[in-house]
Every structure is written in C-alpha cells, then in structure tokens.
Amino acid sequence: MSEKLYSYTALFDTPNDIIHAAKTVTEKGYTKFDVNTPYPIHGMDAAMKLPPSKLGFVTLFAGLGGTALALLMMGWMMGIDYPIVIGGKPFFPLPAFIPITFEITVLLATLTTVGALLFFFFKLPNNRHPLHDTNYMKNVSSDKYGICIETEDPKFNAEEIKELFASLHASTIEPVYFDDDEVNFKVVVADPKFLGFLVAVALFVSLSAYLHLNKLLYIVPFSWMDEQEKIVVQKKNDLFDNGLGMQEPVQGSVARGFIPYPFKDKPEEAGKLLVNPLIPDKDNLEVGKNKYNIYCSPCHGYLAEGDSRLNDQFPNPPSLHSEKVRTWSDGRLYHVIVEGQNVMPSYSYQLSRQERWAVVNYLRVLQRSLNAKETDL
Amino acid sequence: MSTKNGNKNIWKSVKEYQDDPEVLKSKLNEFQDGVTDDFNINEMSQFSRRKFLAVLAASTAYAATGCTSYRDKGEIVPYVDRPEEILPGKPTFYASTFADDGLSYGILIKTREGRPIKIEGNPDDKINKGKIPSKVHASILNLYDPERLQFPRINGRKTSWDKVNEEIISKLVELEQNGEEIAFFTNPITSPSTQRVVNEFASKYSNVSIYTTQLVNQNNKIDAWEKSFNQKIIPSIKWDKAKVVLSLESDFLGKEGNTTENRLLYVKGRDVVETNELNKLYCVEAGMSLTGINSDVRLRLKPQQQFNLVLSIINELLNSGKLDKSKLDSNVLALVNKNSLAKFSSENGIDKSKLKELVDNLSDHKGQSIVYGGDVLPSETHILINLLNELLENSDLYDYENGFINNSKISSAEEINNLVSKISNKEVGAIINFDSNPMYELPPNIGFSEVIKNVETIISISEAPSETTAISKYVLPVHNLLESWGDHQTRNGQITLQQPVISPLFDTLQKETILLNWINRVPVSDDLYQTYLKENVKEYIYSKGNYAADFNTFWLTALHDGVLNIDSESVPISRVNQTELQEINSAQKGISLVINNNNFFSTGKYANNGWLQELPHPVTKVTWDNFAAIAPATAEKNDLVNDDLIKISVGGQEIELPVMIQPGMAEDTIVTELGYGRENSGEVANKVGFNVNPLLNGKDLSQYILSDVTMTKTGEVYKLASTQEHHSLDDEFVKDFHRLRKIIQEGTLEEYKNNPKFLDEHKYEIFSITESHEYKDEKWAMSIDLNKCLGCSECISSCNVENNVPVVGKEQVALGREMQWMRIDRYYSGTPEEPIVSTQPMLCQHCDNAPCENVCPVNATNHSPDGLNQMAYNRCVGTRYCANNCPYKVRRFNFYNFRDSFANAHYDNELTYLVNNPEVTVRSRGVIEKCTFCIQNIMEVRENAIREGREIRTDEVTTSCQSACPTDAIVFGDSNNNDSKVTKHREHDLSYHVLEELNVKPNVTYLAKIRNTRTEDV
Amino acid sequence: MSSIDYTQERSVVEGRPPLRSLDEIISKPLDTKPDIKFYIALAITLTMLGIGAIGLAASLYWGTGLWGNNNPVGWGLPIVNFVFWIGIGHAGTLISAILFLFRQKWRTGIARFAEGMTIFAVITAMIFPIMHTGRPWLAAVYLLPYPNQHSLWVNFTSPLLWDVFAVSTYFTVSFVFWYIGLIPDFATLRDRTTHKIKKIIYSITSLGWRHSNRHWQNYELTYLILAGFATPLVLSVHTIVSFDFAVAILPGWHTTIFPPYFVAGAVFSGFAMVQNVLIFIRKIFNYEHIITLDTLEKMNKIILLTGMLVGYAYSMEFFMAWYSGVQPEVFAFMNRAFGDYWWAYWIMFSCNVFFPQLFWFKKIRRSIPIMFVLAVLVNVGMWFERFVITVTSLSRDYLPSSWAYFKPTLTDASLLIGSFGLFFTLVLLFTKSLPVISISEVKAVVDGSQPTHGEH
C-alpha cells in the first residue's frame, strides 16, 4: 500500500440503505462517486441522477453499416466483378440477398455494441483498479451494497465524507489507496517480453504461410485432379520403350487424309502426274504469302531472288526466277517442298498439304511479277 | 527510361519526372518533418510502438508468402522429327475393321500422338454407315487391359518366341510322322487371308483337322436357306422397304445378326419428322426382347408354337382367298389344313382379332412386308417362314447384293463327338486353340473338358486369358485388333481392311504370323503377315478387278478408306423347295426354356470388359449378371420373387439362376442369356453371372429352345444389381407415373393424323418473374426422337469411352451409385401380362434455369455463354445439393475414387490410364460430374473455325452419343441457328420437354413416340 | 388454510436464501473436486465421442461412400443430424432472449444453462455440414467469399451459403450474449476464490469488472439490445436452415410452411432437451429451490404448445399438397405416410403429436419421471421428422426411373452417436468449469433483493 489515497468507501446491508445513501451523496453535489452492488438495483440510476446511455446510437449505426456492407459486397461480387449466369437469375437477385444481409447486419451490430460497451464505455480490461482486492470489493461482489467517493472529486474532504457515511448508518467505512506499482507505473519502451512475443508472432505467421502455400496445398488430398491419370501432350511415359507418351505411327499404316507421298525420289513423275488442286484466289494466296515469308524467305528472299538475310552464311540459293524454275510444273515445285533438294531440307512437317500448294501459287505470282507478259496488262 | 537533357536520369515518380517543386524540396531534406528529426521514442505513445512492431510482423509474413517456390511439373518431351500425320494435341484417324462373331464393322480409330483413344464407325462402310455396336466402342479397353497375355509361356513360365516356336514345330513334325491328329479349333474365320494361312497350315501338316465353334450361331437359319434355296449366301433384309414386319422369336433390333444395319434401315420407317406414314412391327415372342418393347403389336407365345403360328397364318390366307392352293405342295398343304387361326388363338390364349389384323396387314402389303424368324428357331420353322415370305411376294425385300457370306461352316455335333471319342482313345496328339475358346464354348455334356487331359500338347493362340489358356501347355499371346493387320469379308460385295494404329504394347505377335512361322519356319517379324496380306490382296482382289492405279496406290487408298467395294457374286433367285419341310413336334411339356445370346459382349469373348459388364440390360436394367426371366403369373404360381435363386434342370443337366420377374413374358417359360460365368478369364469376367452352357444340348449344338424344363426354388437369395427399381406393374401406388407426370408423352398414329397438335391439349401455362437471359451466338441444344430411339444403350457405351466414365462394380451399382452420364429410362404401363414399354434416354438437360446452379454454394456449376450447364470439377466441394435439386437426377457423385475402389484398383494402373481421353478431366473422389454435351468436341470445332476464320457450320458439332446412335435418334446443334436440324425438331408438333411445368427450360427436347396401333390398346 | 394472493407473482426462487449462500451453492461445483459419478458419466460420453471420431476418420480416409447415401439420396444422416442439433440450440436463445423480453422471471434459473446448451448444440451441428461434403478440407474454405485461385466468388443465391452466414452469426452472437452474462459472475468468483491460479483466470475472464452501477446501467441496456437481436436471429437461423429444403424444387421440400414449422419444431425439441438435462442438474447439484418444479412445468407447457404447432404443420402439409393438385406433390406426402418409409413417419407422428398431448394433465406436467420420458420421445420424434423430410422426399422424387431406397450404414450410426457424445461431454465439462446458474441474475430476483419503494 502506498500513501496515495484513491477514495473513501462505505458498505451498506440493504438495498434501501444504498438507494438512500446514493440519493444523499448526489444531493450533496458529489460527482466523482460510484455505487457498487452485486446486481443492478432498481431505481439506482434515478437516485444517482445518471444521464440515459448513449450506447443505442452505436448499435443503430453499426447495424445500418452492416446492411450497406452486405448488399454492396454481394452486388459487387456477383454483378460487377465476375458476373456469371446462375440458374437464369438476374445478376442482382435481391430476394436471394436478404438472408445474408440480415445476418451480417445482426453480426456487426451486436459485435460493435459489445465492443463499444466493454472497451470504450467501461475501459475494460482493467485489473489494476485500486478497488480490486479490497475488502470493499469482496463484499459488494457478494451481498453488500457499497458507495465510494474518489479523491478526484472537487468537494473531496476525508473528514466530511466519513461523517456523511456514518450518518447514513454505513456498516463499514474505509479508505482505499493506490497500489505502489500502480502509482509508479512507467511505460517501458520496447520491453523485451513484448518484443519477443511480437517476433514469435511474426515467425509463426511467416512459417505457417510458407508451409501452407508451398507444401500443404501440394499434398494429398489437396493435389487431387492436379496430376491427371491420362497422357497429355509431350508428357513422359515409362510404359513405352522410348519413354515418351507420344508414339510414332506404325510402319505402313495410312492415316485419314494422309496418303503417303507417292513420288519419293521421282521428281520427274511428280512433275508430270501431280496436279495443283488449288485455283489461285485471294485467300490461298494470302496463306501462301504468309507461309512463304515465314519459311522460304529466309533463304530465297522475299522476292525469291535468292538474296536473303542469310546471304553468304549458307551456299546461296538460286533465284527462283530462272528459266528452269519458271518452266517447272506446279507438281515439280511441290515435290521440292516435300523432299527438299541439295541443302534445302523437306518442309513437309512445317507446311500442310494445302499450304504447300498455296506457297506454290504464291511463288507463281512472284515469278509473274518479275517477268510480266503483255497479256497481264 | 527517359533520357532528359542528354544524360540518363532516373526518376522515382511521375511528379518527380515533371519536376514538381514539392518533390524537389522533399528530395533536399531526405527526412520529412515529423518522420525522424529529433527522434524521441518516449514521446511516442505505447500504441504506436505496438503498431510499428505489428506492421513489422505483418510485413515479414508477406515477405515469406511472397517467395513461394513452384513445383516441377515434370519433363516435357517433344517429337524429334514430327511424323507428318501427327499434330500434337490434335486427333488423327485411321480406318480399320472390327470383326467378331462372323460380323465385321468398318471403324475409324481416333488416335492422339499415336495412341488410340476412341473407336468410331467408318462412314465409308456401306453396310453399317459409320455405326458400331457397344462392344466395339468399349473394346478399346481390351487393348489397355492389364490382364492381356503379355509374353509367350510354356507351362505358365515366361519364355521367348524362338524357343516356343522351335518346340512346337518339332512337336508338330513328330505328330505328323506318327499320324496323330492335330485338332485345330477356331471361331468362324471372316478374313480371306487368314483363311488362306489356315488352309496352308492344314495342307502343310496333313494330319490337321479344323473344328469351327461358335457358341451362338445361325446354323438353323443357314441350314434352312440351304434346304429351301440351296445356297450359302443369306440375304440381308431391306427393312426400310417393309411396311409391315412380323418378327417371330427374333431380336433383330437387339442382338441378332447385323443389328446396326437392321436398326439403321428399320427406323427409316419411323421418321415422323419427314412423314406420318409409319411401318408396323408385329412381334411374337416368349421373352421380352428389345424388338418386343419397340413393337407396335406384341403377342406372347411359347417358342415351340411358332411353327403352328406360321401354318395357321397361311391357312387363314388360303381361307380368306388371298392365296391359291396351287402355290403349295401337298405335304405342306396337309400341314396347313391341320391348323387354323381360330384353333391356334384359342389354344394359345391369343386375342384372335389381333391375329386377324396381322394376317390382313400382311396380305394387304404383299411385297412390302417381311416375316423374320429368330436364330433360335429350328430350321423347319425357318423354311416355313421363307415359304410364307414367298407366298406374300416379299422376296423383293431380300438384299443379296449385300448378303451374308458364310464361308466357314460350324462343326456339327457329330464331328465334335467324334473328336471327343478320338481324344479319349488317345488318337489326338495336339490341340491348337486358334484364338477361340473350346473349353467354354463346347457344351459340357459333350465331355470335351473331361477327356482333354489325355492330350499333352495344348497350344493356345490367344489375346486374353480364358478357360482354354488356363489348361494349355503353350500360351502364345497375339496382337489386339488395334495392333493387327487384316482383311475381312462378311458381306457380299464389300471387303474391309484392318491396319494397326499402335505398335505392339507387349511381346505379342499377329496370330497369322505364328502360323506362317510354323509353315515356313521363317524367323518371326512383324511385317511378315503384312507383306503376306498385301500379296494376297493383290492376288485375289487387285488382279481380278481392273483398277487404273498401280497396286501401291491402290493399296494405300484401300488402307486409307478401310473398305473395298468389289462386285458382289450374283445369286440365282429360286422358289422355296418345299419338299424338305416336315412337321416338327410342337407339343411341349412342362416349362420351356429359351437360351439367348447376351446383349453386349458376344458369347463371353468381351466379358472381361468392365464397361460392357456395367451396361444395363436394355429391358431389365440389370448389370453384371444374367438371370432367369419369368412371367409374373409364373412367379406367383411357383411363389418366386425377384432375386430368388432357382434350380433349372433339363435333360440331366442342371444349373442355378436368380429369378427376374419380367412383365409381358409368355407363361411357363424361362428366358436366359449365354456368355456369363466365365472362369480364368480375368478379374472382371470371372464368376460374373452364371454359366448356362450346360443346358445346351450336346446332341444338337444349335438347339436353343428346350422343353420339359423343371424349375425348383432353392430358398437361397442372390441379389441382382439393377440401375432401376422394380415396381410390380399392378402396384396402384406408383402406377403410370411417367404418364401422369408427362415424363413420357405418346400417341397413336390415328390420334396424330387426326390432330397433329394433340400434345398441346392440357399444356400448363408457365410464366417467370424474371426475364430470361439472351444468348447471343450459339446456344447448344439436343433433340431426341423417341420414335427412332430403340433403347439399345450404345450411346451410353460411347459416352463412357469419350468421357472417362469409371467402372464402379456390381456392389456400387446395387447401392445406386452407377456413374454413367447417360442412361436409358424404361417405363412400363398397361398390365403385367401385356405391358406397354417406353424407353427414354436421360442425360443432363442443360436447363436455362438450371436448379442445380442456384443451390451450388461455391459456383462450381454455372452457365456458359453458349448455354451449357458446365461443371468446374476442381471447384466442386461435393455438397451433392445440385444432385438433390436436379429433377432429372442426371448428376453423378464420386462417392469413392472409383478407379481405385473397383476390384482392387483393377483399372487404376499406368496401362489403363492410356485409355483416358486427354481432352476430359479424370474426376477425383468427392466431386460431382455429369454430361457436358461433349464440350471438348464443341471447343475443337470452334478452334478450327477460328483458325480458318469462319463461323461454325450448321450441325458441325456432334456429341459422342449422337455419333454412336445407330438410328440417328439424337440430334445436336445450335438452337439459335434456324436451319439447324435441332431447331427443326424443337419446332416440331411432337416435341416436348420432360417435366415442362417446372419451367427449368431444358435444352433437350424429346419427340413424342407415335405408336402404329389401335388407340384403345394403349 | 390461507388463501393465496394471485395478484402477487409467485417467487421464482423458493424460500429466501441469503445472497451469500447463493454464491456458495452455485460455485460449489467449481470449488469441489468432481466425484466418481461425474467421471463415469464423462467416460461414457467420451466413449461415444470416440466412436464418432473413428467413423469420421474412416469417412475422411475412404470417402463418403461409407455412408448409405446413393444417387437420388444425396443427403443422408449427416444433414439430418445437422438440422436436429441446430434445432436443439434454439431453446437456449429462446429462454435467454425471448423470455427476457417478455420479462419472464422464471427464466433466470435456467437461462445460463440453456444458453450453454445452445452453444454446444451449435458446435455439434456445425461439424456435419462441413464433413458431409465430398471434400471437407476444401469446403471449409471454398464456402467463404475470399479471393481465390479460381477467381470465383461464392454463390450468394445458394441456401447452403446462407447457412454458413446464419449459423456462424448465430454461434458468435449466442457466445457473446453468454459471455456478457458471465462477466459479473466471474467477478464474484474472482473475489471469492482463494486459489491463486483460479484468481488469475477469473481476473482475466472478468476483465476487471467492478459491479459499478455506472456500468450496470449500460450493461443492462446492452443485454436488452442483444436480447432484441437474438430474438429475430434465432427465428432467422432455423428459417434459413429450412430454406435448404424449401428453396429446392423437390416435391415435399418445396413448401412455404417450412420456416415457421421448422422454428416451432426446433423450440419443441430444444425445450425437451433442456428439460431432460436440467432434471439431472437440479438433482445432482441440489438446485431444486432455484430450478423449481414450477419452472419445469412451465417448460412442459411450452413443449405442449410447440408440439401442437408441429402437429398442425404436419396436417397442413397434407392439405396443401392435396389442395395444390400437383401429382408429384400429392405423391410425396402419400409416400411419406404409406411408402417405403411409413415406419419413420409414424414414429415421428406419434412421438411429436400424440404423446405430448399427455401434458394437458397437471399431474403429468409435474411428475419428473413421466415428463422426462415424454421429452426423450419428443427428441426421438424430432430426429425422425428430419429423417422423413430429408430422405423420403429424395428417395422418390420426380423421375420414377431414378428412385432408390436409402439404407443407413454403421458409419452413419457412429456419426450420430459421436454427436451425442460431443454434446454431452461439453455439457459435463460446463457444469464443472462455469456457474451453471447466473449468480447476479438470481440474486436480483430473490425476494427482498430489490428496494421496497415508498419508504423514507
């Protein structure tokens, strides 16, 4: 116990006494006093002349806030951020929102009210209050009714108060002092315990976050349907000797739309027998141009003159405007694309059959463009 | 990075970049006021210090979460040089052939990166027109069956091909020297080249004798045709030309003959969208077959009576003067006069008026009707039927152009019996089982399995384990059909080729290669038979026909198309030879028994295929079992209920079967199915159902109708697993719900003709409080024509393969947890004796106002912009609320990981994973799944359209059920497109939605079934 | 004999116990070591809990396939249990909030305990909706509207999501309500106890409450506000639970009568449960003079009332079905009474409608053993009500082709047993760790505890 006095307290035995006491103390004009009773006593608020509580307003605004929040949240999520057609309902199905709106309203209202009550109105938690662990408190929390006038009170005068209490037939009258540590309590800057606690929190949060995102989510059962029990493109597979999921077609089999090229190493026959299925028109010339520029131009050049970006890095390809090439039939050109010649490789992987013919057509256009005939004019 | 006044200068904010004076100022003193100058922590309140540290903690946390490592998703291995025909991620198709049971189907094999993933029909096949039965769809699973024979064995021990061939050859030589017989067992061979190899083998080893077995065969019919017309080729029927069809104990729509062709042609006469002239199908049968449930008029008759029925019909025709006696020989006339319609109907309790109507119908449509007898009927009946057809001038409906060629004759009972006796006298040195299964297919009472231990050398050339491989000394594994070369001719005028689409998965050989090796002693190699085949084709086709192209081009084109059309051999049309016909004893005692083939896996050959075992029986919806079907009245008489186990005994043989009470059956008749009760044939097939082969009579291999059967109750119960509850038909509590609830809407032809809009009477007026969504571009929809739908269940099979639907096993089916995305609902109305059966394919209806979507808490199911009800599997948490709220009950829940839970994870292995469609998610435990309208097909078509810069063409998208439907009853397309087929169907008078009054707006419409029968009968 | 003055309300606390004695008697269970009976009871409930745990572990490991659920019947026993337990909870809030608003003094004796049971019931209930899903480990998070890798939000039109919000709100609010009520008692305990650790614990939990009248003023207002909110909340919760069914389009589920009918049923079963447990509590801890026979009788009257409400709902369902003339609707109800599940229906009907009628007799209302049995029957009946609603409607809905019979499995049973285990374990621990009767409230209603006006 320090010498610093907090208040003078008095205990009474019956509710009537305490009401009476409260009345008188109020009349005497004391303001910094309080009544402590084991349970709320009817008429005490009147006796103490307490103003009506403001708590109701908190509840009202919290509630309204909840309603607005709920409606906005749902409206935004379902109608604006990611609108999906669900059961043919409109994007803002108000009737369906009502239940949740109601729940959120209630939740916010109650939590805010209680929060405000305890922490704002009552300034709880507070176990350092001088009244704690006093004989006075022990009694009022069981069956006695107490009143306590603080030193803070402007009219505070120990003697007067003692007399007043006595005149009210108080069963016990006693002073209450501040605890020592209460009196000389100082805010310690960054006390190690608290820091340690925060660091621990930080570590825990980081670690659990890391484990969750990098480990937990990749273990069974979270990993289900992550690895599919099927062979997708370019996936390894040990079942086959070559360890590939992708297999070569069987020797000699013929796939739909892929009858093998019949003129292997027979350029002349190809030239004779192959006919161009494509009549040059805007579309397939477009395709031809596109493919030519991608695959052919690097060596043959955009104008097929054999001057290209790769000049001198490879043996230069001949110009395709030569007499020889111009007199070649479409089939012959096609053959070159399919089988390649000299250093030129086959382009049958890069170009589909349609595209090859399209390229041939485009090449014809290029040739014509350089040596146009009168008839073209 | 901006370069201002020459030198690079780095700016931290736009303001700074614009030389904002404030910023410049702030740059001068780096620390702004209040931040840190004269920093005194004591001035700060406790709270802000906490805040500071709290922020510290939080930021650390964020830092940690920020640096997340990502897992290695595994290696990526592209092609070194890509084969021209394979574009990764895009399917490639190969034309080939599926041949089984004397029939062949042109198929297109869908492959992905050189792996077959689906089998579809080859539209170039002029017989089947790109349609294939369930077993073909499902057979892809056999390629990846973990229980395939994977390497040659001697006495069960693994060995090399060289060793085994060496041993066998020396053995064969030895046997030839000391003249012991080599019994060579095979199923009917449909391949000319194979036939030739076999013949060469037979001539190489003089003592080889060939036995051809087929459990369910057409011997009676073939025999009859030889007797009546003296020719081998049996014509196929031009069903599309028939106005009246009388089917006698025949399931030509279900499982007899080339069903795909029959269905295809038959439904041409039921196309209500085009015309309102329908054909009329009479069906007279003992059991309840698929044909029976689709018939307009169905009569119950004990199988033995069919002979007299035909006679009485002829008699009636004579009496009513629609026919003159002169056409009949005296012996037949005598028989005919013994019978009369009146006598017959009174004896068999059949409504005479119906019979009368039948006869009138037949005679009114001379030349436009057909009488068709079932394979189970004895040959005399068949001859009589041929005669009746001739009398009715129906011969024009015989199509010899595409007739059936029966090159290999089934061995007669005598031959087999002789063999057995030879074996028992140790005169047989070796038995070669050439991809058949004599141990199972020969009726036990022949005694083959008893004496076989006398033969020491038993060689099995087989793809899968079977009863015969189990007892074989040498087991030689052969290629699956998707790994094999071949040519097949089952029909006049068409030869189909077979090519491999994947190199052998295991150490197997082409079965012909093995024989070739034994003949020529050449080292085995895979192209051995390929070259042989090529040569042979060159010889017997190319050289005969005059083809422009050189042989190589010819060959490549043929492989490309998969089919070769050759000139069909002409058949001389002659009149029925009546002399052969003599009366048969139709007086049956006691209970009669009809033994049919099963619906899906052809005499047990494909019994080890879970997908086929789990297909519900088209009529009873029972899976994973065969059973003894009996009439309700018969059940009552013998106080039997469903699942009672009964003992059936006939001619000294007896077996046990569970009872299945089948409305509409002839009384005192049992109908059961072959192909079950396999042993040593694999995890799936073993002990599934009951083996009824013992009942087959050893004296006559082709006797499927038995009299004087006794049936006794064993008191035991055997639970059958069916996908539909069985309510007894006269239970008033649940009677005719499908009609009361407008699930099934039907009418008769005359109703329809009188009032095409008869469905619209008492329609509900429906309104909604919210206006419906606009679907701008495509809006996918399906229409199912119930007039064409026969309930054959082939859509289900195709759907299973396409969408990676797992097999759940009998127990789970019994619990009501089957996973098939599509089902065929079957409803009975009418009386237990004369039920009217309606079938209805049921799949996700993709409702516009889908009830499932509203209730999913996590948005895992919702609507796509093109009107699909879609599932996000990895979002689904499995509340099953959607399934509850689906009025059509088409959503399926993965109660377990079914791949893992079925038969000790039988299908949960690296090999079987290959069968899964890469385009479809493999669903895990705990999620809901359902029909997606094959969204993967839709997306592929859309990709192509986008790449080619065009709109999606009308009816370009097909779902797998649609392409599998043999009658094209299913139509799929864009309902926003006015020229699409589906729009046409939706606007048709007969179109309706199931449970329309719920206003869920389904996108699957049904065309009401029109029955060509008297209104009062419905 | 003296005539009773009926204008005077009868005291809810019998006799006139000195306030200090109330402290002692109420905090006695907390101060004394539990006796052997307690441990036996705890052993039993823990065993039940263990059984449940095993069942749950199994279903998590192998999958929901271990339950009887099948294709038409997607919801089986877990949902039945969920609705059942949520219902049990409602009595607590009703007693503490609604009766408080109606100024029913007799509630003070039982309010605290009832609230406690609310919280335990809700805890028990909340396990089921999560565990019944196919992938609970995801359900626990996916049902919350948080930004996720699917960039999908939750579906606010789904009744299941309404459940998530309703039940969690209900739990939070009930808990706060309960705690607020406990604060003064904690303070009292704090000032009574001599035990060091207890002292610390109570100091923390009481937040340093000082019984100050300036506090009491706001405190009472808050209590009133909470009561005011809890009342509509409790009605909303079971209403929303009933929406799980009523919003679906299934015949037998899709009915507008469900909300009031479910709430009535909830109060019905809740009161029965509270009554059952109180009968033991008042005996074991000698609270007969605080939880008086009058109180129990009043509860029985409420059981009788709600029982009749439920009975009315049953018959009205039938009438509406018949009146609507919709065939599936009519059949759904015929099927309940006369279909495959007729037995469940008639158990429900007799237990909920017939037997409670006995409470018309004062003798029975006041006879402890009989009222106990009747209340047990009520809970049996109410469990079957949920079974009937959930299972029968599902097993035979629109398409006869997909009808199937539902058979519960052992795992299903184990989960049910486990839920009772959990609930009663919590109740037992509660009785030993917290004052099961509100000290300050009881003090306030003891005769003479309030100032007599007109003096001085």
Side-chain angles (χ1 to χ4, degrees), chain B residues 26-41:
Chain B
S26 67
K27 274 171 85 179
L28 291 178
N29 68 328
E30 187 173 332
F31 300 108
Q32 282 174 343
D33 337 10
V35 183
T36 45
D37 23 2
D38 52 47
F39 181 76
N40 172 5
I41 196 158

Side-chain angles (χ1 to χ4, degrees), chain B residues 105 128 131-133 257-265 794 966:
Chain B
Y105 307 88
N128 298 298
K131 302 300 179 184
I132 48 175
N258 195 343
T259 49
T260 47
E261 180 192 17
N262 300 348
R263 292 163 178 167
L264 211 65
L265 296 173
E794 271 153 33

